[in-house]
Amino acid sequence: MVQKLDRREFLQAASAAAAVYALAACKPQTVEVEKEVTRVVEKVVEATPVPTSPEPITANINMALNRGDIGDAGEPGCSGAVNSYYMNYMMFAALVRLTDKLEIEPDLADTWSVSDDGTVYTFKLKPDLKWSDGSPLTAHDFEWSIKRNLDPKMWCGGQFWQLVDIKGSRAYYTGENTDPDSVAVKAIDDLTLQVETETPAGYFIQVCTLPAFMAVPKASVDKALEINQEGRPQDWWKPPLGIYSGPFMPVEWITDLRVYFEANPYYAHGKPLIDKLNIHMIQNTATVMAAYEVGELDMVDLPETEYLRVIGDEELLADMVTSKELGVQHLVWDMGVPATEDPRVRQAFACAIDKDTLMNDVLPGVGSPAYQFLAPGLIGYNPEIGQELRYDPDKARKLLSDGGFPNPADFPEMLINYGAGSTLYQTMFEAIQAMVQDALKIKVTLVPGDQTSLGVKLADMRYKQPLVWRQFWGADYPDPHNFMVVLYTCPPPQAAVWETPERVLCNPKFDELVWQAAAETDNTKRAELYRLCEQQLVVENPFVIPLYYPTRHRLIKPYLKNVVIIPQSFVMIRETTTIEK
Amino acid sequence: MGRFIVRRLLHAVATLFMITIVTFGVAKATPGGPFGFDDPAVQAHLPIEQRQRYIEMYGLDKPIPVQYWNWLSSALQGDLGYSYSFKNETINHIIARTFPVTAKLGVIASAIGLTLGTLIGVTAALKRGSLFDAAATAWTVVFHTMPVFVLAVFLVIIFVVELRWFPITGWGTWKHAVLPVVTLLLGPLSSTIRFARAKVLDVLGSDYIRTAKAKGLPRTLITRRHVLKNTLIPIVTLAGPTIAGMLTGSIFVETMFNVPGMSKSFVGAAGSRDYPLIMASTVIYGSLIILMNLLVDVTYGLLDPRIRYD
């Protein structure tokens, strides 16, 4: 027989249950996610030749991953954005790497040579290379990894452009040729790797620094495939599956929260001086600053909203490290619009933007005004290019008039898309809107919005109204080829298919010059060719309007020594980085 | 009561079904698509076969009603599919990883907020016009009107930067949970104080309380038997959606305090057209709301004998 509770008894019982649950919930938060963490270092620590100090040297840094990076952050073959590059560089080593002066230095390769015709690269690896578990790392690992990255069956696609120069890569990637041996990457023996390019490519050694050229551990990938679900391998790069060739190896990986690393005792450049590297993935800028100020983080990117506060605070200012980034913020014209067909109209728009005022007064600390597409420091950068399109409202009005609009009122409403969610861009583009309206007396409308929805949102307006897009290009490798070819040739070489030639210049003269420069190995000649490319791209038939070269500010605790700042948005914690308190 | 619960559960199933249809329809009708395939630059980078493989793998090549049916039949078997953003992790796993964290914070915040709020609200009403009452009213005005993002920043400045009582990075100790819980509970605490205070004042002015007083019943007995019990009805009404909201977490609190919770993983699903994740988050939130409303209705009857379920 079921005994009935009266209301009072029910309430007493319910209160007691709630109290017990609340107390239980108040226990220290040993989070479930911790359970997925598996320490893989025990075996490694036993085999470590270097004795560990009693107090491990630990660095804490922050890195906010973009949503798009979350899934593939550790997979070098899928890595295409700055933060996932960073994760790759911590875990894996490539054949060569960049110094803070953007020079090439050996990474896992000891030496390399190029054939006389400039197409065959032979890399000699350092002897006795090892993965983080002590197993040998050979040229065969490189061959397997590069071909794997080109395999059309690989789960993620889209980074083909990193490997596009290799002979046979396109046919294999697009499935025209299914034989992996058709890709001209070959391990001659355990220490020798030969890579052949389709044509001579003066920039190819720089390309070899990219993640798609890293050796990844076949053993880990195979293990991950064994436990795959519905054809999706597990994340082989995470512990406990992963073994590593870079300076650090992850021992704890909690998606979108933190990745904790320990030094790889078998790293080719020697075991890093830092024992533990904790990468936190904090998005909120107030949290980032608080964590830095109380010493929980040793290095952070300075949020743009905090710049003015930091330069007014002596203590924080002393920690601020400023570097130029190898990139350019610019506007791209939507081509094919009748109103902007005449190059003079596009030139008028460029002349209407006062970049000096914009960067010095409206947005101090953000960057320096740009009149060229190539960033300073690159071959072919020429400060004289584009000077004729400096801010000059009278000239702007004349160009607009000569371009077919003597009466500015006849010019259709101009649209600028700048991407949503950033107060920096909002401020910047409100200023640009005011400048252009003031100089040209035309109507300018700002269209915020991400590209996911933008294509549809603007579908009705495009090709009828003049439109420019904001675009940022940061160097993947420090060569003008990376700036010119990937974005604006028609079609770009990495395009596996070519259906909708939008947002590319499609100027045969420009394309010809770019490819001529790519095949040239003499840097003086290349510089001259890129100057001509730039003249086409920015001045004569302007397709882009350079806005500024960004400046990156970071806060780095003074006790964190020997960090390597690479002007590609990276601050590398390398083998020589240490903490001296 | 039994029949009532069964009837409500059937209604709940129908409601949830409607929620999924509407959400699926709205998500599909929203311009744009996943993987950036609407971006010509992305389109150009992927060979057609690869793009096709993505589309087939997620069943995006099928007509929308078929896509919905596929999703529904998998979901009914407990499989919510794969997120487009967290490519190698099932949504079930994401939920298993993040929901307990969010739910624990939510339970603690709800328990403290509702209990303390009721106690303060009742006391303030019973001591109407006192300093305590004035303080409670001021508290509710300040914390009810202060947005959570302002409050969280204040808490970080005071307790992390200045006093250094709590850490801001990492997760795993009780110290990490204090500020997120406090931020979460201050809003519901203020609402509960307001509701409880207003209801007690309302009850105190009613005829049956006057009668009880006239009968000479002791003040404590009147408060316990008549005032408190009648006050609980609006509190219970408030508790339903509050607890449901707390259990699904606050994106701002999770981002600000770097909590590895559900909101943080689920936010952005709509922006990136991550349909499976959009569906999962809607179903979870919808189910919790329905469940809490059912519990609220059941609790009404236990609190107030005049309420009948037939």
Side-chain angles (χ1 to χ4, degrees), chain A residues 286-410:
Chain A
T287 310
V288 169
M289 285 303 290
Y292 182 81
E293 286 180 63
V294 299
E296 288 183 36
L297 290 174
D298 301 317
M299 181 169 75
V300 298
D301 276 345
L302 178 63
E304 65 215 23
T305 47
E306 297 281 349
Y307 174 76
L308 290 176
R309 178 169 83 88
V310 168
I311 59 168
D313 181 319
E314 266 182 42
E315 207 176 313
L316 286 173
L317 186 60
D319 293 356
M320 192 168 88
V321 176
T322 297
S323 59
K324 293 274 182 202
E325 265 192 84
L326 202 64
V328 62
Q329 187 76 254
H330 58 286
L331 294 170
V332 185
W333 284 99
D334 213 25
M335 300 300 265
V337 181
T340 52
E341 213 165 309
D342 191 314
R344 288 170 295 188
V345 175
R346 283 173 270 140
Q347 289 168 342
F349 194 82
C351 283
I353 302 172
D354 184 356
K355 295 172 199 168
D356 291 341
T357 303
L358 189 68
M359 301 323 296
N360 298 331
D361 301 334
V362 181
L363 300 161
V366 170
S368 50
Y371 295 91
Q372 303 81 25
F373 182 61
L374 294 179
L378 290 169
I379 297 168
Y381 168 77
N382 185 332
E384 285 164 21
I385 294 172
Q387 294 301 322
E388 57 269 59
L389 298 183
R390 285 187 85 96
Y391 176 63
D392 183 342
D394 294 333
K395 186 175 176 181
R397 273 191 292 275
K398 184 169 184 316
L399 283 165
L400 186 69
S401 172
D402 294 348
F405 294 93
N407 180 8
D410 297 337

Side-chain angles (χ1 to χ4, degrees), chain A residues 7-8 10-11 18 21-22 25-34 36 67-68 70-72 151-158 160-161 173-174 229-235 237 254-258 260 280-284 286-287 290-291 293-297 450-453 455-457 462 486 492 494-500 502-503, chain B residues 31-33 38-41 43-51 53-54 57-58 79 82-83 85-90 93 96-98 100-101 104-105 107-108 111-112 153 156 160-161 164 166-174 177 225 229 252 255-260 264-269 271-274 277 299 301-305:
Chain A
R7 282 187 301 278
R8 188 168 304 153
F10 168 79
L11 287 174
Y21 191 42
C26 282
K27 279 194 308 185
Q29 296 279 302
T30 40
V31 188
E32 291 336 305
V33 286
E34 297 284 2
E36 74 180 45
R67 190 173 181 82
I70 292 170
D72 300 320
D151 187 342
K153 287 194 229 47
M154 191 162 148
W155 163 236
C156 66
F160 165 56
W161 67 269
Y173 180 67
T174 53
Q229 297 170 13
E230 299 168 29
R232 294 158 196 255
Q234 296 299 292
D235 293 342
W237 58 87
I254 304 178
T255 301
D256 208 17
L257 183 76
R258 66 186 180 210
Y260 285 0
H280 300 263
M281 296 172 182
I282 307 172
Q283 302 274 0
N284 187 290
T287 310
E293 286 180 63
V294 299
E296 288 183 36
L297 290 174
D450 60 87
Q451 290 186 356
T452 309
S453 54
V456 185
K457 201 156 80 183
R462 291 187 71 182
V486 175
Q494 74 277 9
V497 286
W498 196 241
E499 294 167 339
T500 47
E502 294 182 72
R503 272 189 287 155
Chain B
D38 286 359
D39 187 343
Q43 283 178 18
H45 286 196
L46 279 179
I48 292 171
E49 293 78 15
Q50 279 230 10
R51 215 188 313 165
R53 212 156 54 82
Y54 269 84
M57 182 169 266
Y58 288 102
D79 175 12
Y82 279 92
S83 154
S85 307
F86 304 87
K87 287 177 187 145
N88 292 340
E89 197 176 8
T90 62
H93 189 260
R97 174 166 65 84
T98 56
V101 180
K104 271 182 191 169
L105 291 184
V107 166
I108 300 170
I112 299 175
V153 171
V156 167
V160 176
V161 179
R164 306 204 173 190
F166 303 107
I168 187 93
T169 57
W171 188 255
T173 69
W174 67 270
R225 277 234 179 118
K229 202 176 286 183
F252 188 79
T255 311
M256 183 83 196
F257 297 103
N258 221 28
V259 177
K264 199 165 172 240
S265 302
F266 278 26
V267 78
S272 54
R273 308 292 186 274
D274 194 339
L277 210 50
T299 314
L302 295 165
L303 289 171
D304 189 342

